[in-house]
Amino acid sequence: MTVSPTSLRIGDTEALFSGGDTVPCLLHLGSPTGDPIDGSLFHRLVPPGGLDSPPEPGIVTEPARGWFGEPGITLSRGGRALAPMFVRRATESSDTDLAVTLEDAACGVRLVITARLDARGGLVLRAAVTNLAPEPLGVDALTLTVPVPDRCTDLVSWGGRHAFEFAEERRTWGRSVVTLASRRGRTSHQQPPLVVVGEAGFGESHGLAWGVHLAWSGDHRLTCDAVTADRRTVSAGVPLAVGEVVLEPGDTHELPDVLVAWSDSGFAGVTARFHALLRAAAPDPGRPRPVIANTWEAVYFDHDRDRIFELARRAAAAGAERFLLDDGWFPGRRNDTAGLGDWRVDTEVWSEGLGPLITHVQSLGMDFGLWVEPEMVNPDSDLYRLHPEWVLGEQRQHRILGRNQLVLDLGRDDVRDHLFAALDALLRDHDIAHVKWDHNRDLISAGSTARTAGFHDLLSRLRAAHPLVTFEGCASGGGRIDAAVSRLVARHWTSDCIDALDRLHIQKGALRLVPPEMLGAHIGAPTSHTTGRRHRLSFRALSALPLWMGIEWNLLAADDRELAGLAEAVAVHKTHRHLFHRGSTHFGEHPDPTVHVHAVVSPERDEALVILASLASSPRHDPGNVGIPGLDPDRRYRITPVPLGHTRWALHRGLPAWLTGPAEATGRHLSNPGLPCPPLLPASGILLRLEAVG
């Protein structure tokens, strides 16, 4: 007898899960298939020479049933490996939720798998294992597996390095296994836990695609397997060291959420579903995103009271709404070799404490923010001299420094309690609206689950104690960005690189997962701190406009013309941030890779903001037309350039007529054939506003 699948459905999305008495398999995620559903339609042929009953890739795959790929669960008890084969005990479902309870009585283990479709059709998968026996249970692996259609032959991932994160890499996914992983104790600059697979040639707004993301802020592994059982699967989990997770009787271990997004419109649909999932779980929903002036690249460790007071005055005059004092305010912190761990104000630098600065900042109409790095400690600090045993175990045995610092073991209750007390006092004693929480080195660790969970716990406790404080996540820039930490921080510092040209590439990658209002982007100095390149103010502003804008520039060195241009750019952002921070994100496709098209379209599709930029010199005199994605094809739009300082036009070339006079077109026309590209010089761009008319 064939058991009908369980169907979850909302809007344009249906998820089908296998029935029966075993671990459920995700049979389909995409457009609704229609009723009734015949379970036999999902049965595949038995391969010759193989097992008589080849297993389906259950959400948690079982090697004991003959699954030869990534094991979904690996258990041990008393030094001996277990081979669980789970049987369903209960299944509960609604229109959008599924919960399946399974047990292996012989092994004394319970497995609970849940699935939920959110309002936009994003799928959240969870799994938890419980020890039912009187002896301890070792959990050596727990992984979720997502089958994807056989036509998924393109695989896209992101990675890079410090100050150039989220570089996109596309490869043909043939008959191969591709592993994407990090063992650095954080999501890493090199390989964040995100992959998108799809049919050959899927693009920005066309083609079928599926995205998978592990919502975890530590070590991770994603395995894309096109070999096992002639099926294509993506598995996601946390790599566990031997003995890292041992469950006492009755204890439960949970795998972090796995987020799955499908699309029939290429990257745009995957991005829309990921953004909806993160927005639904984000802290501080609906709060405005104030323009932040950050002191780091303005003063570094040189905390001169008068200079910082004047810097705040100039930032306020430019339109900043929040002033953030970065690294250098605590004892011994004249460089990065000392002081981490001693979270009190350095009275040698701030003789009256931070009170006068906070009062000054607030008198200028801004609120105040502060930088901390609580998870780290310098050997040259009072905390380390008092508690050297608080660093991670392997750090005590082999003191390997990174940025002159060691890592505190946040898996310990006493460490978290101490840090909570120190930071709680800091927030109670000062009127602080914003905390930038940094994490400036990789971990050298055999497993980091407890420590990562401890970080989440500490930050959750501080948020509960100080609900009006906004927290920002940073890990040398974008080294720890994922959906789990996005539930705790309202803002991610996207990258330590503020070079406008590099930022357009970095931000495009980060926006595949994270909505723009959660990504920090600053207008930097004329010469970039990380690359040495010089860019005009209008281009630097253009790169920061669509995200959570800030300023990171020594404004004491800026002349009156630059300060006026900065104020104009900030005013443009404030005028349009209601759209930038709630709209849908779309990137255009163009045969010339030097042409950058980034559109933000309102939910009602009655308004859009479009950034057109030239990234480099092009071999073509005329780049041709650019298509504007995401618009309502049947609506008519008025096209208006938004002034943003001096735009660099190509020499000896006229402007397109649509730029010099009133112009209107339908969304269908603006998509294809599109707009004639304006003659932009390299590293320059233009901002357009599109308003529906009629």
Side-chain angles (χ1 to χ4, degrees):
M1 176 180 175
T2 300
V3 179
S4 296
T6 300
S7 171
L8 308 183
R9 187 179 298 183
I10 190 167
D12 65 349
T13 297
E14 182 177 35
L16 292 176
F17 296 88
S18 62
D21 61 358
T22 57
V23 173
C25 172
L26 177 62
L27 302 174
H28 168 78
L29 177 65
S31 298
T33 58
D35 292 321
I37 301 167
D38 186 343
S40 67
L41 296 175
F42 296 96
H43 288 179
R44 294 168 70 106
L45 294 175
V46 176
L51 300 177
D52 292 343
S53 300
E56 293 294 322
I59 294 174
V60 175
T61 56
E62 298 165 285
R65 293 190 187 275
W67 180 255
F68 298 115
E70 184 81 5
I73 189 163
T74 304
L75 305 173
S76 60
R77 198 188 303 277
R80 298 183 61 183
L82 302 179
M85 294 178 66
F86 291 100
V87 177
R88 290 201 200 195
R89 300 302 186 199
T91 300
E92 299 178 9
S93 65
S94 65
D95 290 344
T96 58
D97 291 85
L98 171 69
V100 179
T101 301
L102 308 106
E103 291 182 1
D104 183 319
C107 292
V109 180
R110 176 183 295 134
L111 176 66
V112 177
I113 295 171
T114 62
R116 175 179 58 85
L117 279 178
D118 89 318
R120 287 293 300 272
L123 180 66
V124 180
L125 299 173
R126 298 187 177 105
V129 59
T130 300
N131 182 12
L132 301 180
E135 299 83 20
L137 176 71
V139 181
D140 303 314
L142 184 59
T143 298
L144 294 188
T145 294
V146 178
V148 295
D150 294 337
R151 59 181 172 272
C152 290
T153 57
D154 276 13
L155 187 155
V156 183
S157 60
W158 290 264
R161 58 168 172 83
H162 171 240
F164 204 107
E165 303 87 338
F166 297 105
E168 184 173 300
E169 180 180 1
R170 180 187 285 253
R171 70 194 87 184
T172 299
W173 185 20
R175 191 177 181 279
S176 60
V177 178
V178 178
T179 300
L180 311 169
S182 171
R183 287 187 174 273
R184 297 171 180 266
R186 51 185 180 174
T187 60
S188 82
H189 303 84
Q190 290 75 16
Q191 192 69 79
L194 173 66
V195 66
V196 176
V197 299
E199 62 183 355
F202 80 90
E204 294 296 342
S205 55
H206 70 275
L208 293 163
W210 287 260
V212 179
H213 167 65
L214 180 70
W216 183 242
S217 310
D219 294 348
H220 59 266
R221 181 171 62 239
L222 273 63
T223 303
C224 306
D225 183 351
V227 176
T228 305
D230 295 323
R231 298 289 297 269
R232 291 182 181 269
T233 60
V234 179
S235 300
V238 177
L240 300 175
V242 175
E244 183 177 353
V245 177
V246 177
L247 302 181
E248 296 300 322
D251 285 354
T252 297
H253 172 69
E254 296 183 357
L255 181 72
D257 291 353
V258 175
L259 277 52
V260 189
W262 78 279
S263 170
D264 56 7
S265 56
F267 280 119
V270 171
T271 293
R273 297 191 204 278
F274 277 145
H275 285 189
L277 284 167
L278 268 65
R279 280 170 166 159
D284 312 327
R287 277 200 208 175
R289 269 62 179 176
V291 176
I292 297 174
N294 189 298
T295 65
W296 176 242
E297 289 195 11
V299 301
Y300 301 103
F301 294 107
D302 184 13
H303 281 212
D304 178 85
R305 180 188 184 281
D306 293 340
R307 289 183 66 223
I308 290 177
F309 269 56
E310 178 60 17
L311 187 66
R313 190 191 68 77
R314 293 198 174 200
E321 299 157 303
R322 177 167 291 167
F323 188 80
L324 194 148
L325 187 67
D326 212 287
D327 197 355
W329 56 269
F330 45 96
R333 199 63 172 173
R334 305 284 59 79
N335 52 52
D336 67 2
T337 65
L340 284 179
D342 300 337
W343 301 112
R344 60 185 186 276
V345 180
D346 186 354
T347 53
E348 291 185 9
V349 175
W350 298 98
S351 58
E352 300 175 76
L354 295 178
L357 174 61
I358 294 173
T359 299
H360 174 65
V361 165
Q362 292 174 339
S363 73
L364 296 168
M366 301 183 291
D367 58 27
F368 182 76
L370 196 65
W371 178 96
V372 296
E373 192 174 1
E375 301 166 73
M376 305 294 164
V377 65
N378 288 125
D380 185 4
S381 67
D382 293 342
L383 179 64
Y384 183 76
R385 285 184 282 270
L386 186 62
H387 288 292
E389 76 280 6
W390 280 3
V391 302
L392 286 174
E394 70 280 358
Q395 298 265 294
R396 295 195 296 272
Q397 300 167 21
H398 309 285
R399 201 172 84 167
I400 300 176
L401 298 175
R403 202 178 181 243
N404 303 300
Q405 59 199 45
L406 299 169
V407 184
L408 292 171
D409 186 357
L410 266 67
R412 294 178 53 142
D413 293 342
D414 51 356
V415 174
R416 295 198 306 277
D417 289 345
H418 169 82
L419 292 173
F420 175 83
L423 297 174
D424 177 62
L426 191 67
L427 293 172
R428 282 189 287 103
D429 294 344
H430 301 85
D431 191 359
I432 296 172
H434 185 106
V435 172
K436 181 181 177 183
W437 183 299
D438 214 338
H439 180 289
N440 273 314
R441 64 157 289 174
D442 291 330
L443 278 61
I444 302 172
S445 173
S448 64
T449 304
R451 191 198 169 282
T452 302
F455 156 63
H456 290 160
D457 173 72
L458 175 59
L459 191 47
S460 296
R461 289 173 62 188
L462 285 164
R463 281 188 48 79
H466 302 277
L468 298 182
V469 175
T470 297
F471 287 86
E472 174 179 3
C474 177
S476 304
R480 187 168 61 187
I481 295 179
D482 65 274
V485 76
S486 295
R487 299 166 189 153
L488 300 171
V489 301
R491 188 185 205 242
H492 295 285
W493 180 227
T494 315
S495 178
D496 279 349
C497 176
I498 313 180
D499 178 293
L501 191 58
D502 283 357
R503 264 305 186 117
L504 290 179
H505 295 287
I506 294 166
Q507 291 167 186
K508 182 177 180 179
L511 283 165
R512 300 297 195 192
L513 175 67
V514 183
E517 70 274 15
M518 297 186 74
L519 293 170
H522 291 178
I523 300 174
T527 300
S528 169
H529 164 87
T530 54
T531 68
R533 280 192 295 234
R534 290 185 63 85
H535 292 128
R536 289 175 180 259
L537 175 56
S538 58
F539 188 61
R540 286 153 32 221
L542 200 69
S543 73
L545 274 178
L547 276 61
W548 185 335
M549 178 183 270
I551 303 164
E552 197 156 345
W553 174 9
N554 181 9
L555 299 180
L556 304 182
D559 60 29
D560 290 344
R561 182 173 179 271
E562 289 174 315
L563 292 172
L566 175 61
E568 178 188 9
V570 171
V572 169
H573 171 78
K574 289 180 178 179
T575 298
H576 298 293
R577 68 181 162 194
H578 69 285
L579 174 52
F580 282 133
H581 292 173
R582 74 182 186 98
S584 58
T585 298
H586 304 264
F587 291 98
E589 293 180 296
H590 195 276
D592 187 339
T594 70
V595 176
H596 178 82
V597 184
H598 177 186
V600 181
V601 183
S602 69
E604 302 79 15
R605 295 204 291 178
D606 60 348
E607 184 182 11
L609 293 163
V610 182
I611 293 171
L612 300 181
S614 172
L615 304 180
S617 296
S618 171
R620 301 175 53 166
H621 280 300
D622 181 2
N625 286 11
V626 290
I628 309 301
L631 303 175
D632 184 335
D634 297 320
R635 269 185 148 151
R636 193 167 186 83
Y637 294 89
R638 179 180 299 113
I639 309 159
T640 308
V642 178
L644 190 66
H646 176 64
T647 301
R648 299 178 66 199
W649 304 110
L651 302 177
H652 311 302
R653 293 174 63 189
L655 299 181
W658 64 268
L659 264 177
T660 57
E664 294 182 4
T666 63
R668 182 175 289 103
H669 181 103
L670 291 169
S671 173
N672 184 24
L675 287 172
C677 190
L680 298 167
L681 287 174
S684 66
I686 185 172
L687 177 66
L688 304 176
R689 185 183 183 196
L690 277 58
E691 297 174 275
V693 295

